[in-house]
Amino acid sequence: MKRLYSISIVIALVSILSISCQTEKDYSSLSEAEGKKGIEAAEIYSTFLSQDEDERVRWNYVYSLYEAGEYETALVEIDKGISLYPDNIRFVYLKSLVLRSVERIEEEKATLEVARDLNPGSIEIRKRLLDIYDSLGEIEKAKEEAKAILLYDNKNLKAIEYLSKDSEFYSLLFESLKPKEEQKQSEESSDIREEEISGEEEETSIPEEENTETL
């Protein structure tokens, strides 16, 4: 009885080791994708996925399709990723990038709204939504995004600058927070303009003197 029990344990261990080695072997085959981009990498990842579904490999696969400009195929495969891994926001965000590339802005907006709900603290997602709302004339929504950004980053210049358009408070705040180099450039630009105006006045006075001498 004990002998049979020992044999069972050995068989189980061999099975586990066999599965482990097979998994390692499968992953090692992905080393071919190293240094490759676009469609070359996508083909390698696709071969792996045809044998075994894997979250990490699917991400690399859909990103390679995006990188190769295979946008329609990428969208189909990304949707599979979203279905299989609904908690992985990277698939949702990548879908928004693909939709931006094919200029399907309404769909990009809807996708980013899903991504924002999954990760409310993402400044990058909210900044892109701010731009989209603004471009579509959805000003109130754009302002809401700007204010939401400031909840997570109270010195975010993009959000403050947007709100400064019709708010004296945010306008003053933006001026006070602008990078010193930008302020310096602004001041230098102002000085140059003053010199130009001054030069224009001198130039207009010279012909008057010449005209006087001629007369």
Side-chain angles (χ1 to χ4, degrees):
M1 185 67 179
K2 287 184 178 179
R3 185 179 178 185
L4 288 173
Y5 182 70
S6 298
I7 291 172
S8 297
I9 291 175
V10 170
I11 292 172
L13 288 171
V14 169
S15 298
I16 292 169
L17 287 172
S18 176
I19 293 169
S20 177
C21 290
Q22 183 64 38
T23 302
E24 182 61 33
K25 183 179 179 181
D26 287 343
Y27 275 103
S28 66
S29 68
L30 294 175
S31 61
E32 295 177 34
E34 291 181 12
K36 292 183 171 61
K37 291 183 177 182
I39 202 66
E40 285 186 293
E43 287 173 354
I44 296 169
Y45 294 128
S46 177
T47 299
F48 183 96
L49 288 172
S50 67
Q51 301 168 359
D52 185 23
E53 176 62 41
D54 180 88
E55 183 174 1
R56 183 181 61 181
V57 176
R58 177 161 293 280
W59 160 256
N60 287 328
Y61 173 48
V62 294
Y63 186 83
S64 297
L65 289 171
Y66 163 65
E67 194 174 48
E70 298 289 336
Y71 300 131
E72 294 305 323
T73 304
L75 286 171
V76 171
E77 296 300 327
I78 288 170
D79 281 339
K80 288 181 185 177
I82 293 172
S83 177
L84 290 166
Y85 313 106
D87 295 329
N88 190 333
I89 192 174
R90 295 207 303 166
F91 285 104
V92 181
Y93 187 65
L94 182 57
K95 182 176 182 178
S96 76
L97 295 181
V98 177
L99 290 168
R100 185 190 309 181
S101 298
V102 294
E103 299 182 351
R104 286 155 61 173
I105 192 167
E106 285 287 353
E107 291 176 71
E108 181 194 355
K109 179 181 76 170
T111 301
L112 283 169
E113 287 172 341
V114 172
R116 177 196 59 198
D117 293 342
L118 287 171
N119 186 10
S122 172
I123 301 297
E124 287 306 310
I125 290 172
R126 288 190 178 276
K127 285 199 298 186
R128 178 57 187 161
L129 273 173
L130 189 161
D131 287 337
I132 290 176
Y133 288 141
D134 184 56
S135 69
L136 294 175
E138 299 179 34
I139 306 304
E140 291 306 314
K141 285 188 176 181
K143 288 180 181 178
E144 287 175 14
E145 286 304 324
K147 291 175 181 177
I149 289 170
L150 294 177
L151 291 176
Y152 297 97
D153 177 9
N154 62 9
K155 291 184 179 179
N156 188 280
L157 285 176
K158 182 181 181 69
I160 293 170
E161 183 178 19
Y162 190 80
L163 292 171
S164 71
K165 293 178 181 179
D166 55 3
S167 168
E168 185 177 357
F169 169 78
Y170 284 109
S171 179
L172 292 171
L173 183 59
F174 178 69
E175 288 300 321
S176 69
L177 291 175
K178 268 199 306 189
K180 289 183 179 179
E181 186 61 30
E182 189 177 334
Q183 288 181 348
K184 182 180 177 182
Q185 289 176 358
S186 178
E187 289 169 2
E188 288 175 350
S189 176
S190 177
D191 291 342
I192 291 169
R193 180 59 188 152
E194 287 176 5
E195 288 175 5
E196 287 175 350
I197 293 171
S198 176
E200 287 170 3
E201 289 174 349
E202 289 175 1
E203 288 173 5
T204 54
S205 64
I206 291 171
E208 290 178 2
E209 291 176 1
E210 288 177 348
N211 289 335
T212 303
E213 289 176 358
T214 304
L215 288 171

